Amino acid sequence: QPKKSRYTIGFSQCLMSDNWRKDMVQGMKRELSFYPDIAMEMKVANGDTKKQNQQIKEFIRQKVDLLIVSANEKEAHTSLIEEAYSSGIPVIILDRRISSTQYTAFVGAENYLVGQNAGIYANTLLKGKGTVLEISAAPTTSPSIDRHRGFIQALKTYAGIHYSGILWQTDTFDSTVTNYLKANPQIDLIYSHYDRLALRISKISADLGIRKRIKIIGVDGLPGQNEGLELVKKGLIDATILYPTGGEEAIQTAVKILHKQPFSKENALFTTVVNPDNVNIMLAQYQKMGEQQRAIERQTTKLLDLNQIYSSQRQALTIVVAL
Ligand code: FRU
């Protein structure tokens, strides 16, 4: 296909209710600002799988030039996305996987590794002996499935670590966890698939007076108030497994695909354990990035101002020449 001069990306986003998703979209917009030839339209499904499929269908009908999907559930969007892909629309799967490899590119950290890292670090924190509880959100999303699989796989190698079970986030989450911890005083560590839930667990265990005894591992590691890095720094949780949002990288990949440049199909983002030993380095890096971002924004405004001056001077010159 020949190169076009303008492109539209359709972004089907499963949720937008938390800072992790907001960070993802900010990263996308930041990256898009370098490409005036590319516009992005986002449709948010608010965690509703049917709605997300309708929105994906609308994007297909609109004939977007490229589709980015962060899928609410692993299975339920698979055939529709395969359809879009085989009809010739390039598809980037972002963060949440589907049950197929029929897509143009994947961008995201490997959740199996996230779970494995959590399992290995749980063993380290417990010095090889103890009982762990796992907490997750929805059993049908790919991060939940893979974060669980990786964790269980890692724990299998430690004879002294006992797995107590998994609790799901429900409307009665706080009381469910409270009752579980009261009934199971042998729990030594809680692995929560999300820092948001890890913070609630931290509060619950403080209320029960067992926070000092229990270890907590979260996932996401965002900077910002009440987010993972701050929780680790303040000792509200013991560690978080970094799970980058991949917004910038998704757009970088989209740009390569649209501009017909070479790209990789699988783009695994970096994940690691963040604990009190390395949290300051992480925070310092984010601060530096923020400063650089602000400098770029200042330069962009300056350039726009200069452009304005240049074009009004040109206009004045044209008038003079015409006279
Ligand atoms: C945000 C979120 C993150 C998590 C990711 C998984 O909506 O729940 O906390 O790491 O989605 O897809």
Side-chain angles (χ1 to χ4, degrees):
Q1 271 175 13
K3 273 195 188 180
K4 289 176 43 173
S5 59
R6 292 202 63 78
Y7 302 94
T8 304
I9 296 175
F11 173 33
S12 168
Q13 166 77 306
C14 54
L15 299 163
M16 215 21 206
S17 50
D18 55 78
N19 287 339
W20 193 88
R21 298 270 156 202
K22 287 179 191 146
D23 188 271
M24 174 195 263
V25 174
Q26 262 172 17
M28 293 173 116
K29 289 191 176 155
R30 213 165 30 234
E31 195 58 31
L32 277 168
S33 68
F34 296 113
Y35 303 96
D37 60 329
I38 303 178
M40 184 175 87
E41 187 192 332
M42 175 170 73
K43 294 189 201 282
V44 181
N46 299 327
D48 180 338
T49 298
K50 264 203 194 132
K51 186 169 179 181
Q52 186 162 22
N53 272 344
Q54 275 161 12
Q55 293 174 334
I56 295 172
K57 276 185 196 153
E58 282 166 33
F59 278 138
I60 298 174
R61 228 176 294 133
Q62 276 171 247
K63 294 198 169 54
V64 289
D65 298 297
L66 185 142
L67 191 59
I68 300 180
V69 184
S70 196
N72 194 44
E73 292 184 88
K74 187 174 182 199
E75 195 58 54
H77 312 280
T78 303
S79 57
L80 184 58
I81 290 173
E82 282 181 342
E83 228 173 86
Y85 176 71
S86 52
S87 81
I89 301 178
V91 178
I92 297 178
I93 302 293
L94 175 55
D95 141 60
R96 296 192 179 185
R97 286 188 178 277
I98 52 168
S99 299
S100 165
T101 51
Q102 286 194 50
Y103 50 75
T104 317
F106 169 79
V107 175
E110 219 38 271
N111 279 299
Y112 184 84
L113 281 181
V114 167
Q116 230 179 8
N117 275 335
I120 295 167
Y121 198 63
N123 179 61
T124 307
L125 281 172
L126 296 178
K127 302 192 175 67
K129 205 170 166 303
T131 303
V132 305
L133 171 67
E134 188 177 13
I135 309 261
S136 190
T140 49
T141 71
S142 81
S144 282
I145 296 167
D146 294 338
R147 286 173 194 184
H148 168 73
R149 276 179 46 235
F151 187 62
I152 293 293
Q153 193 55 38
L155 291 192
K156 272 190 191 151
T157 56
Y158 307 120
I161 305 290
H162 174 69
Y163 178 75
S164 175
I166 187 160
L167 294 182
W168 301 98
Q169 184 187 10
T170 57
D171 294 342
T172 56
F173 179 74
D174 289 17
S175 59
T176 307
V177 174
T178 306
N179 293 339
Y180 194 94
L181 291 177
K182 278 186 185 162
N184 296 278
Q186 75 280 15
I187 302 293
D188 301 299
L189 182 143
I190 301 176
Y191 159 49
S192 157
H193 286 195
Y194 311 92
D195 288 335
R196 301 189 287 289
L197 292 182
L199 173 59
R200 282 163 71 176
I201 293 158
S202 177
K203 285 186 179 141
I204 292 168
S205 54
D207 288 348
L208 291 173
I210 55 171
R211 171 64 196 115
K212 285 220 171 70
R213 194 179 59 69
I214 273 190
K215 306 280 182 209
I216 302 170
I217 302 178
V219 178
D220 279 338
L222 275 187
Q225 208 186 1
N226 277 337
E227 296 297 343
L229 298 185
E230 188 181 282
L231 302 185
V232 172
K233 171 127 182 133
K234 287 187 172 167
L236 290 168
I237 63 175
D238 297 279
T240 181
I241 315 296
L242 182 72
Y243 187 68
T245 60
E248 267 116 338
E249 292 84 350
I251 296 301
Q252 283 159 5
T253 307
V255 167
K256 286 182 198 154
I257 295 170
L258 290 171
H259 290 170
K260 314 262 182 265
Q261 291 159 351
F263 66 93
S264 310
K265 178 166 181 184
E266 296 299 320
N267 301 276
L269 303 178
F270 179 67
T271 173
T272 189
V273 177
V274 182
N275 62 15
D277 295 334
N278 62 359
V279 71
N280 283 331
I281 301 173
M282 299 285 301
L283 285 165
Q285 268 180 350
Y286 276 111
Q287 199 184 339
K288 192 90 214 142
M289 268 167 56
E291 281 162 19
Q292 280 168 348
Q293 183 54 34
R294 282 187 289 279
I296 291 175
E297 278 156 18
R298 274 204 309 277
Q299 279 165 358
T300 315
T301 323
K302 193 114 203 134
L303 270 176
L304 287 174
D305 287 351
L306 283 175
N307 255 335
Q308 197 95 47
I309 296 172
Y310 173 71
S311 63
S312 51
Q313 281 179 346
R314 252 180 80 112
Q315 229 170 6
L317 200 65
T318 326
I319 296 169
V320 172
V321 171
L323 286 176

